[in-house]
Amino acid sequence: MTEIPYKIYLSEKELPTTWYNLKAVMKEKPAAMLHPGTLQPCTADDLKQIFCEDLVKQELNTTDRFIEIPEGIRDFYRMYRPSPLVRAYCLEKVLDTPAKIYYKFEGTNTSGSHKLNSAAAQVYYAKKQGITHLTTETGAGQWGTALSMACAYYQVDLTVYMVKISAQQKPYRKSVMETYGAKVIPSPSDTTNVGRKILAENPNTGGSLGCAISEAIEKAICTENCRYVLGSVLDHVILHQTIIGQETKAALEKYDIQPDVIIGCVGGGSNFGGLIAPFMGDKIEGKNNIEFIGVEPASCPSLTRGRYAYDFGDTGRTTPLLKMYTLGSGFIPSPNHAGGLRYHGMSPIVSKLYHDGYIKAMSAEQTKVFEAATLFARSEGTLPAPESSHALYGAIQEALKCKETGEEKTILFGLTGTGYFDLTAYESYNNGTMTDFIPTDEDLEKGFASLPVVE
Amino acid sequence: MTEIPYKIYLSEKELPTTWYNLKAVMKEKPAAMLHPGTLQPCTADDLKQIFCEDLVKQELNTTDRFIEIPEGIRDFYRMYRPSPLVRAYCLEKVLDTPAKIYYKFEGTNTSGSHKLNSAAAQVYYAKKQGITHLTTETGAGQWGTALSMACAYYQVDLTVYMVKISAQQKPYRKSVMETYGAKVIPSPSDTTNVGRKILAENPNTGGSLGCAISEAIEKAICTENCRYVLGSVLDHVILHQTIIGQETKAALEKYDIQPDVIIGCVGGGSNFGGLIAPFMGDKIEGKNNIEFIGVEPASCPSLTRGRYAYDFGDTGRTTPLLKMYTLGSGFIPSPNHAGGLRYHGMSPIVSKLYHDGYIKAMSAEQTKVFEAATLFARSEGTLPAPESSHALYGAIQEALKCKETGEEKTILFGLTGTGYFDLTAYESYNNGTMTDFIPTDEDLEKGFASLPVVE
């Protein structure tokens, strides 16, 4: 048997040339996006007001399994991809498990996460269409950083609405986006109607992702030659993230490795959807029997405790309606250091697969997640992001089960990013002040009350 | 001609099995280290009080060109090495230069720099000798972070004396070391005699690297089964860093690339010495005619404005005397965000090569360095560390010269690390408050006055 190296790298020539459009393979497609005014399925024309044309085409494509990655995006990808698939030899040893653990590591670029995969694609298509200005929102800051990097490369202007409390807690995230040339505005702000309205009602609010989305969309609509871009949830974002799964599959096949379980963290669902896509496609076609597990924070449990319903993507209730697992756009997630997972909804594709029984889900409390993260850092070297550590936590649970049963399962998880900007969180874990927040059923009911009525 | 990829990766099987001992090739050896009391050359026995035995052997070895890297260290290296050699296609395009630019990138591990190469080796040898506790100092925090990672892996206790002002300015660096299990003490502290003395004289001091070194050495000498480890300057540290040069040479040879110029930043000199070692060995033997350039901060110009003399390595004047380019251990470097380059002395090996004309040196003002860093981030994606950006600045100057002359030189530089923990510095550059500090001749004279008299 070939010896498996610590890190399996594909060569740049082996960089996948296509994304994997999971919707083309799904027997039942996710429900259509609805126009929030008419409650009718959104047309391409509806969406083109907000998004770039090529992205709208991708969003609505349910027929082509493979979609070509343009050369201009692959050039960008080559700066930091293919990313390594790592055999966690040291973690296995520390856990004393017979399981084989692999992780696909997306944290080797400056944005520190997988977000760059979709940022590059979205900015490329904007540039191609002659768009000169983009807007977006960012919470934890990974998406904003990734988009700033892509905008610097393709030379497109960018305004980032950053959740105010994040901008205050993570000034370095703001600095890094500014270094790449982006304009960063703490949200809510007085630069939009929705921002002014929220500020009038609640002048001291720290903001929220839903609110920042509303501001970014309004700004895009009201600015000439400008579009809005989103870092997760939507089908075209998941499509771009399938570069992760495509590379992973190629790397595994190179060494004839068959995963038994694939685990990812889930917030909006894009990294998980992107990681599992080609494997899920095979599973749907009866070619494998892999177990897929999404891990979410116990503080924001959209899959494990949410409802499968049409809901808005933002607090301002301006986006199209998406059929998804949701806690309600009015749900206010309790504080949690995994800012990237603090979102009320979930990708419609991931939601549909979960609803149809193809995916399992579990939730994790943050102190347990940081315990796993610290164990990983000390054994494998890399300091993981709190978000990514949810997947890591799930993988460790699986590996410990194998230790009990003696099974030699092959466990694969997505390590989406690094924790360099999350050291306040690590500090609170180190000094014992970190606590766990789990919403009560009453808290959840309040969120569900905000769900729109769709006949 | 073969197409050169963006990133040249060696496989793990191609990981070099030896370090390159440049001293074995140098026709004139660097002057011997002197005992500070007797002014006689240090013996192995002298050094064993402070350093581990294997490291002392390496420090004094002037005969073996290749020194084997033990398997236990190569196992650690495999977690993050071989590191990529990157062709800076995007930077070349932005500069519009006919030059070909390559950089060896050492920032893909959590410590964010090359420091891990020597940390792993030093902790491995300590463990092998049965040492249970190590002490060290850290300024910018890269060395302390690297050593914390290595100590977590090899399970050796660690106390880090961190320059007090750095501990205050970079609380995240402290958190990351603590996450890896290290004990971090802001220096000067009341845990050592030298610390108490300095505090008594100057209670409000922010500390210095020289002072932290004195504390760490005292602590090591006064603690059972404990040794001191140092992250730069000494010959054995440079030896470990030659893994950089060894990999770079192998990667270049794979694609038949001949560098014309090799550029590195110089603080203590370890990354530069490690990068150039095998190329310099060949140059000494007449096998190439590469130009070597060390770039230092204008605020701490030990090569370009220092004296070649015996000096102490620390402010407390407790270390052996090293023959090196130095500004005097009493020199107080002006504030500069490249904390890792704020050191009064320079590696004796690099100093000797510079003295003998094998190396050129230049200095750079920090606003120019950050201008280069920002240009690089926006074109190549990666956010460079301020220290590394000195090498980058030098490389850009060379590339711009080629643009004028039309020469198609091949320029190689060392990108030693990332700037994730340096965003306060980027912020001050972004908002225009960054200034340059260049010591006057009078400032330098004050430093030279602290040089010891060695007949």
Side-chain angles (χ1 to χ4, degrees):
Chain A
M1 204 181 126
T2 328
E3 202 184 322
I4 313 276
Y6 281 65
K7 305 172 297 302
I8 303 175
Y9 274 105
L10 299 174
S11 74
E12 281 168 29
K13 282 184 185 153
E14 293 168 305
L15 185 78
T17 56
T18 58
W19 291 303
Y20 190 100
N21 182 14
L22 191 50
K23 280 193 291 184
V25 191
M26 287 168 74
K27 288 171 186 163
E28 285 184 39
K29 312 296 179 196
M33 215 184 252
L34 301 185
H35 189 287
T38 64
L39 297 187
Q40 294 302 305
C42 282
T43 64
D45 282 341
D46 292 337
L47 295 174
K48 279 177 193 165
Q49 309 303 313
I50 310 175
F51 300 109
C52 301
E53 285 168 26
D54 285 289
L55 298 174
V56 171
K57 269 188 226 162
Q58 292 175 354
E59 185 68 25
L60 300 175
N61 187 326
T62 56
T63 51
D64 302 314
R65 182 187 302 216
F66 296 105
I67 293 179
E68 201 190 328
I69 307 174
E71 189 57 34
I73 296 172
R74 274 186 280 154
D75 274 346
F76 188 96
Y77 281 173
R78 282 192 197 96
M79 288 201 294
Y80 69 102
R81 306 201 68 84
S83 71
L85 176 68
V86 187
R87 172 77 182 266
Y89 282 117
C90 304
L91 180 64
E92 288 171 18
K93 202 172 154 193
V94 168
L95 294 176
D96 189 24
T97 174
K100 296 173 189 70
I101 308 176
Y102 292 86
Y103 60 93
K104 178 68 169 169
F105 183 38
E106 291 289 314
T108 57
N109 66 78
T110 287
S111 80
S113 84
H114 64 291
K115 295 285 183 185
L116 200 52
N117 302 329
S118 187
Q122 296 197 45
V123 180
Y124 169 86
Y125 288 122
K127 179 83 175 180
K128 184 184 158 203
Q129 193 181 321
I131 300 296
T132 55
H133 196 130
L134 292 172
T135 69
T136 198
E137 77 295 330
T138 200
Q142 293 180 329
W143 170 244
T145 307
L147 202 64
S148 304
M149 289 170 69
C151 282
Y153 177 87
Y154 291 109
Q155 304 190 340
V156 172
D157 286 345
L158 174 66
T159 302
V160 179
Y161 286 90
M162 184 172 191
V163 177
K164 191 181 277 173
I165 184 82
S166 290
Q168 288 163 356
Q169 286 175 349
K170 301 189 175 187
Y172 292 167
R173 273 288 184 195
K174 186 167 173 284
S175 302
V176 78
M177 289 184 263
E178 288 169 347
T179 297
Y180 285 95
K183 184 175 179 189
V184 182
I185 301 176
S187 165
S189 74
D190 62 3
T191 64
T192 64
N193 287 323
V194 64
R196 285 187 288 268
K197 183 160 172 267
I198 292 169
L199 279 177
E201 285 164 8
N202 190 352
N204 297 319
T205 179
S208 72
L209 207 51
C211 157
I213 294 175
S214 304
E215 287 207 86
I217 292 178
E218 181 184 323
K219 181 78 177 175
I221 291 172
C222 301
T223 306
E224 204 181 343
N225 214 11
C226 180
R227 289 293 183 283
Y228 165 71
V229 290
L230 183 70
S232 190
V233 182
L234 296 176
D235 297 359
H236 67 268
V237 182
I238 298 218
L239 178 73
H240 305 149
Q241 295 299 353
T242 63
I243 185 78
I244 304 173
Q246 294 276 80
E247 280 185 12
T248 304
K249 195 152 182 280
L252 290 174
E253 283 169 0
K254 215 168 173 171
Y255 287 87
D256 205 18
I257 302 162
Q258 317 280 352
D260 297 300
V261 195
I262 301 183
I263 301 170
C265 62
V266 282
S270 75
N271 98 78
F272 182 61
L275 172 64
I276 68 173
F279 301 96
M280 178 60 81
D282 282 356
K283 177 165 177 160
I284 290 170
E285 294 180 331
K287 294 180 193 161
N288 71 41
N289 195 25
I290 296 172
E291 193 181 351
F292 299 94
I293 306 174
V295 188
E296 61 187 10
S299 60
C300 194
S302 50
L303 283 181
T304 53
R305 297 175 69 195
R307 289 204 186 145
Y308 189 46
Y310 269 109
D311 195 8
F312 293 100
D314 66 334
T315 314
R317 302 167 76 89
T318 59
T319 68
L321 294 169
L322 304 169
K323 181 83 177 276
M324 60 184 177
Y325 278 86
T326 177
L327 299 164
S329 65
F331 176 77
I332 298 161
S334 357
N336 183 296
H337 288 290
L341 305 182
R342 289 183 66 204
Y343 184 68
H344 66 276
M346 178 60 60
S347 143
I349 292 177
V350 171
S351 292
K352 176 67 178 160
L353 291 168
Y354 178 65
H355 191 67
D356 292 349
Y358 286 102
I359 289 172
K360 293 177 188 170
M362 61 181 281
S363 71
E365 295 168 30
Q366 73 172 344
T367 50
K368 296 285 179 193
V369 168
F370 275 83
E371 188 185 355
T374 303
L375 179 73
F376 184 80
R378 293 186 184 185
S379 53
E380 287 284 318
T382 296
L383 186 80
E387 291 84 358
S388 326
S389 301
H390 285 73
L392 167 63
Y393 172 80
I396 290 176
Q397 299 315 303
E398 285 297 312
L400 292 177
K401 274 188 222 162
C402 290
K403 187 178 176 177
E404 274 182 29
T405 63
E407 284 176 291
E408 294 183 15
K409 278 189 183 173
T410 295
I411 301 167
L412 167 70
F413 72 96
L415 192 77
T416 51
T418 49
Y420 299 123
F421 293 97
D422 300 289
L423 283 159
T424 307
Y426 275 96
E427 174 71 22
S428 77
Y429 177 73
N430 291 342
N431 66 24
T433 58
M434 179 177 282
T435 48
D436 294 316
F437 298 93
I438 301 173
T440 62
D441 288 341
E442 221 169 42
D443 293 335
L444 294 186
E445 283 307 326
K446 278 184 207 160
F448 296 145
S450 70
L451 286 170
V453 180
V454 182
E455 60 204 81
Chain B
M1 203 182 126
T2 327
E3 201 184 323
I4 311 276
Y6 281 64
K7 304 172 296 305
I8 303 175
Y9 273 107
L10 298 175
S11 75
E12 282 170 27
K13 282 183 187 156
E14 292 168 305
L15 185 77
T17 55
T18 58
W19 291 303
Y20 190 99
N21 183 15
L22 191 50
K23 280 193 293 183
V25 191
M26 288 169 73
K27 287 174 187 163
E28 283 184 39
K29 313 296 177 195
M33 214 182 252
L34 301 185
H35 188 288
T38 64
L39 298 188
Q40 293 303 305
C42 281
T43 65
D45 281 341
D46 292 337
L47 294 174
K48 280 178 192 166
Q49 310 301 315
I50 311 175
F51 300 109
C52 299
E53 285 169 25
D54 285 288
L55 298 174
V56 171
K57 270 187 225 162
Q58 291 175 355
E59 185 68 26
L60 300 177
N61 187 327
T62 56
T63 51
D64 302 314
R65 181 187 301 217
F66 296 105
I67 294 179
E68 201 190 328
I69 306 174
E71 188 59 34
I73 296 172
R74 275 186 279 155
D75 275 345
F76 187 97
Y77 281 173
R78 283 192 195 95
M79 289 201 294
Y80 70 103
R81 306 203 70 86
S83 72
L85 177 69
V86 188
R87 172 75 184 264
Y89 282 118
C90 304
L91 179 64
E92 288 170 19
K93 201 172 155 192
V94 168
L95 294 176
D96 189 24
T97 172
K100 296 174 190 70
I101 308 177
Y102 293 86
Y103 59 94
K104 178 70 169 169
F105 182 38
E106 292 290 313
T108 57
N109 67 78
T110 286
S111 81
S113 84
H114 65 291
K115 294 285 183 184
L116 201 51
N117 303 329
S118 186
Q122 295 196 45
V123 181
Y124 170 85
Y125 288 121
K127 179 85 175 180
K128 185 183 158 204
Q129 193 181 322
I131 300 297
T132 55
H133 196 130
L134 291 172
T135 69
T136 197
E137 77 294 330
T138 199
Q142 293 180 330
W143 169 244
T145 307
L147 202 64
S148 304
M149 290 172 69
C151 281
Y153 178 86
Y154 291 109
Q155 305 190 339
V156 171
D157 287 345
L158 174 66
T159 302
V160 179
Y161 286 90
M162 184 172 191
V163 177
K164 191 180 277 173
I165 185 83
S166 290
Q168 287 162 357
Q169 285 173 350
K170 300 189 175 186
Y172 293 167
R173 274 287 184 194
K174 186 166 172 284
S175 301
V176 80
M177 288 185 264
E178 288 169 346
T179 296
Y180 286 95
K183 185 175 179 188
V184 182
I185 300 175
S187 166
S189 73
D190 61 3
T191 65
T192 63
N193 287 324
V194 65
R196 284 186 289 269
K197 182 160 172 265
I198 292 168
L199 280 177
E201 284 164 9
N202 191 352
N204 298 319
T205 177
S208 72
L209 207 51
C211 157
I213 294 175
S214 304
E215 285 207 270
I217 292 178
E218 182 184 324
K219 181 78 177 174
I221 291 173
C222 301
T223 305
E224 205 180 342
N225 215 10
C226 180
R227 290 292 183 283
Y228 165 72
V229 290
L230 182 70
S232 189
V233 183
L234 297 177
D235 296 358
H236 66 269
V237 181
I238 298 217
L239 178 73
H240 305 149
Q241 296 299 353
T242 63
I243 185 79
I244 305 173
Q246 293 277 78
E247 281 186 12
T248 303
K249 194 152 183 277
L252 290 173
E253 283 169 1
K254 216 167 171 170
Y255 286 87
D256 205 18
I257 303 161
Q258 318 279 355
D260 297 300
V261 195
I262 302 183
I263 301 171
C265 62
V266 282
S270 75
N271 99 78
F272 182 61
L275 171 65
I276 68 173
F279 302 96
M280 178 60 80
D282 282 357
K283 176 163 178 161
I284 290 171
E285 294 181 331
K287 295 179 192 162
N288 71 41
N289 195 25
I290 297 172
E291 192 180 353
F292 299 94
I293 306 175
V295 188
E296 60 187 9
S299 61
C300 194
S302 48
L303 283 181
T304 51
R305 297 175 69 195
R307 292 206 184 142
Y308 190 44
Y310 268 108
D311 195 8
F312 293 99
D314 65 335
T315 315
R317 303 168 76 88
T318 61
T319 68
L321 294 170
L322 303 168
K323 181 84 179 275
M324 58 184 177
Y325 277 85
T326 178
L327 299 164
S329 65
F331 177 77
I332 298 162
S334 357
N336 183 296
H337 288 290
L341 305 182
R342 289 182 67 203
Y343 184 67
H344 65 276
M346 178 59 60
S347 144
I349 293 177
V350 171
S351 292
K352 176 68 178 160
L353 291 167
Y354 178 64
H355 190 68
D356 291 350
Y358 287 102
I359 290 172
K360 293 178 186 170
M362 62 181 281
S363 71
E365 294 168 31
Q366 74 171 342
T367 51
K368 297 285 180 194
V369 167
F370 274 84
E371 187 185 358
T374 303
L375 179 74
F376 184 80
R378 292 185 185 185
S379 54
E380 288 284 319
T382 297
L383 186 80
E387 291 84 359
S388 325
S389 301
H390 284 72
L392 167 63
Y393 172 80
I396 290 175
Q397 300 315 304
E398 284 297 312
L400 292 177
K401 275 189 224 163
C402 289
K403 187 178 177 177
E404 275 183 28
T405 63
E407 283 177 292
E408 294 183 17
K409 278 190 184 175
T410 295
I411 300 166
L412 167 70
F413 71 96
L415 192 75
T416 52
T418 49
Y420 299 123
F421 293 96
D422 301 289
L423 283 157
T424 307
Y426 276 97
E427 174 71 23
S428 77
Y429 176 74
N430 292 340
N431 67 24
T433 57
M434 180 177 279
T435 48
D436 294 316
F437 297 93
I438 300 174
T440 61
D441 288 341
E442 221 169 44
D443 294 334
L444 294 185
E445 284 305 327
K446 279 183 207 160
F448 295 145
S450 72
L451 285 170
V453 180
V454 183
E455 58 204 85

